[in-house]
């Protein structure tokens, strides 16, 4: 039974460096020396040999046995030394199933959470130290694969290559869930003998993990790094009261600040900067595990683009301390007033009296050569006779983000409804008479900055005749009368806004042009532009990046560059079905910050990117959770206060890896055989 087990073990022994086995030819040297002895004999004279006959025969037999035993011991010593240099190892049953060479697969978590601190510095540096120990514990010739939060490395690396890559490993804004990491590892190790090391703090990114079953040819070891800091304060998001911005407008920014810890913080400074100038500094108190909204008001005193930063003071998790945003203001709004029979002079009076607006009035018959995209607001006053080309141009204008205000005229209302139906706007019903505006939707974006407080006794405009509006889905009622007839409604179409009035603003029909409501109503329509443009984006997001196309010129290369000019690239632009101007290669941007889209040194748009906040919450999987998700894995807790013990643990893990290396045993056996050879050599024959 023992012989059979020993022979079976010999059959499964493999060698990491089989070339050294040629050293077994050295066994011929002691054999040759044994067969051809060059010892010179000394003559001894005896008077009588009879009494030595039996003794000589006995010593001769003992000498042959001793020499043969010495030969075997010396051969065994040489063989053990040669086999030790060849690095013999035993292959386990699960490795015999595999068809490829064994490999070591390492996932090194280099996400933002690994900037957290232990007692010896950042978790990433501690992880790199443990990985250096791990890699150096494997013999030369071992194949490695390295996974990080960037791309999956498909190459098989040797020890030196892997050590170099680990030395260059840095924190990345990319983040992967545990399920995603395991999926990538499974694809690399499918049907291949592997040892898998996952080195991470195992921060929670999702709660619906299912037990992850590894392949039978893979062994999984989880090295869990425990952060000592569990406190983090970060800016979650920002938003504004209004979606449009203009010069001399009072803006209010809402800043969402989160305290993701069990500790209460007081007098945390929050700084708002605009265009590289500090605008204001506020202090805020944050209870444990809370979220607060800080409101800051300021005035847009300049035209152009605003590039802003909101910052909170916190350490060591600093990647989420800043939130970047941007938006554009319009100092001058271009207004196009199109009329059918006669112009209403009050529109021209409103817009022409201010340097903020450029007002153009034209009859519908002279619109063929107008470039509609340059206008912020187009007013159609009683226009019924329109060409199909003009209608198509209006539709494209709306898709690109324009604002269209439509008023009924004296022509048959059915003719005018054709355009409304085409652009999916509210349509006019049968004519009605005598009504008064009684309800204003003060929370609508069109009126949000108009009223400081509601006045139920306010006198609102009268209307002689009107056409009650029939509203499609997702329309917004802006003005109503006491009978709940909608007198003004808004509807989005593409990126643009459609405003439809149920009545004419002709002074003979309504006193709207004399009412204080007339001015903010039209002015806000003119400035309600770019409502679909985002103030900021998150890196590694699938959200489309939409550029402001008001300043964009076709067929001129557009570059996106960081405002500090440390990074830039040539952008790839395309339009979607709604006419949005999309930045196709936004994935080139890897760092949060403020950027500009530039054509021939002319700024087309200002853009802002932020790091994803999924790494901001200080919640981690416990060892019990990991044991549930990885039922067959070995889980080890790496404590940053026990560096030497961690190194010993790493060596122990490698020692108990799937390959059982026998080199030390063969060296020990060689020493034992050498000592035994000395004992036999010094033993005198009886």
């Amino acid at each position: 039974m023992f012989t059979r087990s020993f022979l079976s073990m010999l059959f499964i022994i493999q060698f990491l460096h089989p070339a050294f086995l040629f050293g077994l030819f050295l066994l011929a040297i002691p054999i040759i020396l044994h067969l051809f002895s060059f010892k010179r004999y000394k003559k001894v004279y005896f008077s009588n040999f009879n009494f030595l006959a039996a003794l000589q025969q006995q010593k001769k037999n003992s000498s042959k046995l001793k020499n043969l035993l010495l030969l075997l011991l010396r051969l065994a010593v040489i063989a053990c030394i040669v086999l030790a240099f060849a690095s013999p190892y035993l292959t386990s049953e699960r490795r015999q199933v595999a068809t490829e060479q064994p490999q070591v697969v390492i996932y090194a978590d280099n996400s933002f959470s690994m900037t957290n601190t232990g007692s010896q510095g950042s978790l990433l540096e501690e992880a790199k130290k443990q990985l250096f120990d791990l890699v150096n514990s494997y013999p030369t010739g071992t194949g490695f694969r390295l996974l990080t939060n960037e791309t999956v490395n498909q190459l098989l690396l040797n020890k030196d290559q892997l050590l170099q890559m680990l030395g260059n490993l840095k924190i990345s804004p990319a983040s992967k869930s545990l399920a995603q990491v395991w999926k990538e590892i499974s694809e690399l190790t499918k049907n291949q003998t592997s040892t898998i090391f996952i080195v991470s703090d195992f921060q929670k990114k999702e709660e619906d993990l299912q037990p992850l079953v590894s392949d039978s040819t893979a062994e999984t070891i989880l090295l869990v790094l425990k952060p000592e800091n569990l406190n983090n304060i970060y800016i979650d998001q920002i938003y504004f009261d209004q979606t449009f911005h203009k010069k001399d407008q009072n803006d209010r920014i809402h800043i969402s600040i989160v305290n993701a810890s069990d500790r209460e913080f007081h007098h945390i400074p929050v700084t708002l900067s605009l265009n590289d100038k500090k605008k204001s500094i506020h202090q805020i108190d944050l209870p444990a595990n809370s979220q607060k909204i800080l409101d800051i008001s300021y005035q847009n005193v300049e035209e152009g683009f605003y590039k802003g930063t909101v910052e909170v003071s916190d350490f060591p998790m600093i990647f989420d301390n800043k939130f970047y945003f941007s938006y554009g203001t319009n100092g001058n709004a271009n207004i196009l007033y199109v009329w059918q029979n006669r112009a209403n002079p009050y529109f021209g009076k409103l817009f022409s009296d201010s340097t903020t607006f450029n007002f153009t009035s034209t009859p519908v018959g002279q619109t063929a050569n107008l470039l509609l995209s340059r206008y912020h607001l187009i007013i159609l006053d009683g226009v019924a006779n329109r060409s199909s080309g003009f209608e198509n141009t209006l539709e494209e204008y709306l898709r690109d983000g324009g604002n269209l205000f439509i008023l009924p005229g004296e022509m048959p209302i059915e003719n005018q409804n054709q355009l409304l139906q085409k652009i999916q706007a509210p349509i006019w019903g049968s004519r009605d008479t005598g009504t008064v505006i009684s309800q204003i939707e003060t929370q609508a974006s069109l009126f949000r900055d108009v009223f400081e407080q509601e006045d139920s006794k306010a006198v609102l405009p009268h209307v002689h005749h009107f056409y009650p509006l029939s509203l499609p889905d997702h329309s917004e009622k802006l003005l109503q009368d006491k009978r709940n007839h909608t007198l003004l409604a808004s509807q989005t179409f593409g990126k643009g806004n459609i405003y439809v009035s149920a009545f004419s603003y002709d002074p003979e029909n309504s006193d709207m042009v004399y009412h204080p409501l007339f001015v903010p109503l039209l002015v806000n329509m003119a400035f309600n532009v770019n409502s679909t443009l985002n103030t900021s984006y998150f890196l590694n997001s699938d959200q489309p990046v939409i550029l402001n196309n008001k300043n964009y010129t076709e067929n001129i290369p557009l570059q996106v560059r960081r405002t500090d000019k440390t990074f830039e690239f040539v952008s790839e632009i395309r339009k979607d079905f709604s006419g949005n101007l999309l930045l196709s290669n936004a994935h080139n941007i890897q760092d949060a910050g403020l950027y500009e889209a530039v054509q021939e040194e002319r700024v087309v748009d200002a853009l802002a990117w932020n790091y994803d906040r999924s790494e901001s919450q200080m919640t981690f999987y416990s060892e019990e959770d990991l044991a549930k998700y990885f039922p067959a894995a070995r889980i080890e807790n790496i404590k940053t206060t026990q560096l030497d013990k961690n190194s010993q643990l790493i060596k122990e893990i490698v020692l108990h890896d799937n390959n059982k290396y026998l080199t030390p045993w063969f060296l020990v056996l060689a020493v034992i055989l050498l000592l035994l050879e000395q004992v036999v050599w010094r033993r005198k024959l009886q």
Side-chain angles (χ1 to χ4, degrees):
M1 180 65 69
F2 172 78
T3 304
R4 183 182 302 174
S5 300
F6 179 75
L7 291 176
S8 64
M9 184 187 73
L10 288 179
F11 280 116
I12 64 174
I13 289 181
Q14 299 186 41
F15 298 91
L16 190 61
H17 307 294
F20 282 100
L21 294 179
F22 287 105
L24 293 176
F25 287 114
L26 295 174
L27 296 176
I29 296 176
I31 295 176
I32 293 173
L33 293 176
H34 178 76
L35 294 177
F36 302 96
S37 176
F38 298 101
K39 182 177 180 180
R40 299 181 64 180
Y41 294 95
K42 182 180 179 180
K43 291 183 180 181
V44 179
Y45 296 95
F46 286 89
S47 59
N48 190 347
F49 289 94
N50 291 330
F51 72 95
L52 293 175
L55 181 60
Q56 287 176 343
Q57 185 64 36
Q58 181 181 359
K59 286 188 175 183
K60 183 178 181 180
N61 292 336
S62 298
S63 178
K64 287 182 177 180
L65 181 60
K66 177 181 178 180
N67 290 336
L68 183 60
L69 184 57
L70 287 172
L71 175 63
L72 293 176
L73 289 173
R74 290 165 181 169
L75 291 175
V77 170
I78 295 174
C80 287
I81 294 174
V82 171
L83 292 175
F85 275 98
S87 299
Y89 62 88
L90 293 175
T91 305
S92 63
E93 294 181 1
R94 71 178 185 87
R95 286 187 172 247
Q96 296 176 31
V97 176
T99 58
E100 301 180 16
Q101 290 296 319
Q103 63 177 352
V104 178
V105 179
I106 299 173
Y107 166 68
D109 185 0
N110 61 332
S111 62
F112 275 128
S113 67
M114 295 292 284
T115 60
N116 212 336
T117 55
S119 60
Q120 304 296 325
S122 74
L123 294 184
L124 180 64
E125 293 304 315
E126 172 62 18
K128 289 167 67 173
K129 180 187 182 306
Q130 302 309 325
L131 288 174
F132 280 134
D133 290 343
L134 186 149
V135 175
N136 285 320
S137 298
Y138 276 95
T140 302
T142 306
F144 298 92
R145 295 188 190 273
L146 178 65
L147 282 76
T148 63
N149 286 314
E150 289 92 2
T151 57
V152 178
N153 191 343
Q154 300 286 350
L155 299 177
L156 191 66
L157 307 172
N158 60 34
K159 181 188 287 189
D160 292 336
Q161 291 171 330
L162 181 60
L163 290 174
Q164 182 178 1
M165 292 185 68
L166 289 175
N168 297 329
L169 187 62
K170 297 180 180 179
I171 290 293
S172 167
S175 177
K176 294 178 182 178
S177 66
L178 199 53
Q180 184 181 357
V181 170
W182 188 250
K183 180 181 179 182
E184 293 175 357
I185 291 176
S186 299
E187 292 174 354
L188 285 179
T189 61
K190 187 176 182 181
N191 297 326
Q192 187 170 355
T193 304
S194 305
T195 301
I196 301 167
F197 290 92
I198 300 180
V199 185
S200 172
D201 59 358
F202 294 93
Q203 186 181 36
K204 287 186 178 179
K205 297 183 178 68
E206 55 185 32
E207 298 291 343
D208 56 345
L209 280 176
Q210 300 296 322
L212 304 173
V213 181
S214 61
D215 191 279
S216 60
T217 60
E219 181 181 2
T220 304
I221 299 103
L222 309 184
L223 302 180
V224 184
L225 292 161
K226 294 288 187 180
E228 294 192 354
N229 170 64
L230 296 177
N231 301 323
N232 189 29
I233 298 173
Y234 65 95
I235 300 174
D236 184 37
Q237 62 175 335
I238 62 99
Y239 58 93
F240 292 89
D241 280 338
Q242 60 284 330
T243 58
F244 61 98
H245 308 267
K246 61 179 182 287
K247 183 183 176 182
D248 298 326
Q249 170 182 286
N250 290 320
D251 265 339
R252 178 182 296 174
I253 184 173
H254 305 279
I255 308 167
S256 174
I257 306 173
V258 179
N259 177 12
S261 65
D262 296 328
R263 175 185 168 189
E264 184 176 358
F265 290 89
H266 297 281
H267 309 299
I268 300 298
V270 182
T271 305
L272 170 64
S273 301
L274 291 173
N275 293 338
D276 297 326
K277 297 179 181 178
K278 287 187 177 180
K279 199 74 174 179
S280 63
I281 300 177
H282 290 70
Q283 291 186 341
I284 188 173
D285 296 331
L286 294 170
N289 298 306
S290 66
Q291 180 176 1
K292 274 193 173 183
I293 304 296
L294 174 64
D295 299 337
I296 301 178
S297 297
Y298 62 93
Q299 187 178 35
N300 296 318
V301 296
E302 300 176 352
E303 300 177 8
F305 293 104
Y306 278 75
K307 298 178 282 289
T309 305
V310 179
E311 184 174 3
V312 66
S313 178
D314 181 47
F315 186 82
M317 301 286 286
I318 62 173
F319 77 94
D320 48 14
N321 287 2
K322 291 184 178 181
F323 200 99
Y324 301 95
F325 64 92
S326 65
Y327 60 84
T329 61
N330 294 276
N332 292 307
N334 298 320
I335 312 299
L336 176 63
Y337 176 63
V338 182
W339 43 275
Q340 181 75 47
N341 297 322
R342 60 187 176 90
N344 186 335
Y346 290 94
F347 286 103
K349 184 175 179 58
L350 168 64
F351 292 115
S352 299
D353 286 348
S354 172
T355 57
T356 306
F357 304 98
N358 298 320
F359 182 76
T360 302
S361 176
T362 183
V364 67
Q366 298 180 12
T367 57
N369 297 323
L370 293 176
L371 182 62
L372 300 188
S373 61
R374 65 181 294 267
Y375 294 100
H376 296 83
L377 173 65
I378 297 177
I379 304 171
L380 299 183
D381 191 359
V383 176
N385 299 327
R386 304 167 305 271
S387 66
S388 59
F390 182 58
E391 288 187 358
N392 292 335
T393 305
L394 283 175
E395 186 176 351
E396 183 178 354
Y397 166 78
L398 284 169
R399 290 187 184 279
D400 288 342
N403 296 294
L404 182 62
F405 181 32
I406 306 176
L407 300 101
E410 298 298 330
M411 299 291 290
I413 209 66
E414 292 78 9
N415 295 342
Q416 300 183 59
N417 272 338
Q418 291 177 2
L419 174 62
L420 299 179
Q421 292 172 342
K422 186 175 183 179
I423 58 178
Q424 304 171 20
I427 60 175
W428 292 301
S430 301
R431 176 171 171 162
D432 202 343
T433 58
T435 190
V436 178
I437 297 174
S438 62
Q439 299 179 44
I440 301 176
E441 182 54 61
T442 57
Q443 297 304 310
S445 60
L446 205 62
F447 298 120
R448 194 169 293 161
D449 295 331
V450 174
F451 305 98
E452 293 184 2
Q453 60 182 9
E454 296 186 31
D455 185 0
S456 59
K457 297 181 180 181
V459 178
L460 297 175
H462 289 71
V463 178
H464 292 297
H465 65 266
F466 65 100
Y467 304 90
L469 293 172
S470 177
L471 306 181
D473 294 337
H474 309 298
S475 293
E476 186 176 24
K477 300 176 182 179
L478 301 176
L479 299 176
Q480 291 180 282
D481 64 7
K482 292 182 178 180
R483 293 179 290 172
N484 292 326
H485 289 140
T486 302
L487 302 180
L488 179 65
S490 66
Q491 175 81 25
T492 59
F493 184 81
K495 286 172 51 182
N497 302 293
I498 307 168
Y499 303 96
V500 182
S501 175
F503 60 94
S504 169
Y505 283 16
D506 191 313
E508 297 179 358
N509 181 60
S510 168
D511 58 354
M512 171 65 86
V513 294
Y514 306 119
H515 196 276
L517 186 62
F518 178 63
V519 176
L521 180 68
L522 270 295
V523 169
N524 285 346
M525 282 185 187
F527 281 107
N528 195 8
V529 292
N530 302 332
S531 60
T532 60
L533 298 178
N534 291 312
T535 57
S536 63
Y537 297 91
F538 284 104
L539 292 171
N540 304 312
S541 171
D542 295 330
Q543 183 180 13
V545 177
I546 303 175
L547 296 176
N548 187 344
N549 58 9
K550 292 295 181 183
N551 302 316
Y552 177 73
T553 304
E554 296 280 354
N555 302 322
I556 296 180
L558 185 143
Q559 289 183 319
V560 176
R561 68 188 182 193
R562 197 178 173 101
T563 53
D564 58 8
K565 298 183 180 180
T566 58
F567 172 79
E568 66 177 30
F569 65 96
V570 178
S571 61
E572 297 175 1
I573 303 298
R574 67 178 179 87
K575 283 190 175 183
D576 64 7
F577 67 93
S578 297
N580 292 319
L581 199 64
L582 303 181
L583 179 62
S584 301
N585 56 343
H587 59 271
N588 288 332
I589 297 175
Q590 297 296 321
D591 295 318
L594 296 165
Y595 295 79
E596 294 176 334
V598 181
Q599 281 185 317
E600 297 180 339
E601 296 304 316
R602 176 175 52 86
V603 178
V604 175
D605 199 1
L607 303 165
W609 272 273
N610 293 285
Y611 294 124
D612 182 20
R613 265 44 180 175
S614 62
E615 298 269 324
S616 298
Q617 287 291 333
M618 297 289 97
T619 55
F620 304 88
Y621 288 112
S622 65
E623 294 182 23
E624 292 76 15
D625 292 333
L626 295 175
K628 179 174 64 175
Y629 298 140
F630 296 90
R634 174 175 176 175
I635 302 172
E636 295 292 347
N637 185 4
I638 302 297
K639 296 182 180 179
T640 59
T641 55
Q642 298 179 345
L643 300 182
D644 295 336
K645 291 185 178 180
N646 291 336
S647 298
Q648 288 300 118
L649 175 63
I650 295 297
K651 293 177 181 178
E652 176 190 341
I653 292 173
V654 175
L655 183 63
H656 289 84
D657 191 9
N658 304 312
N659 291 336
K660 308 303 181 184
Y661 291 96
L662 305 177
T663 299
W665 296 105
F666 276 92
L667 291 176
V668 171
L669 182 58
V671 173
I672 294 175
L673 292 173
L674 189 59
L675 293 175
L676 186 59
E677 186 266 351
Q678 289 297 310
V679 172
V680 174
W681 171 258
R682 296 177 183 277
R683 185 177 179 82
K684 294 183 179 180
L685 296 177
Q686 298 295 330

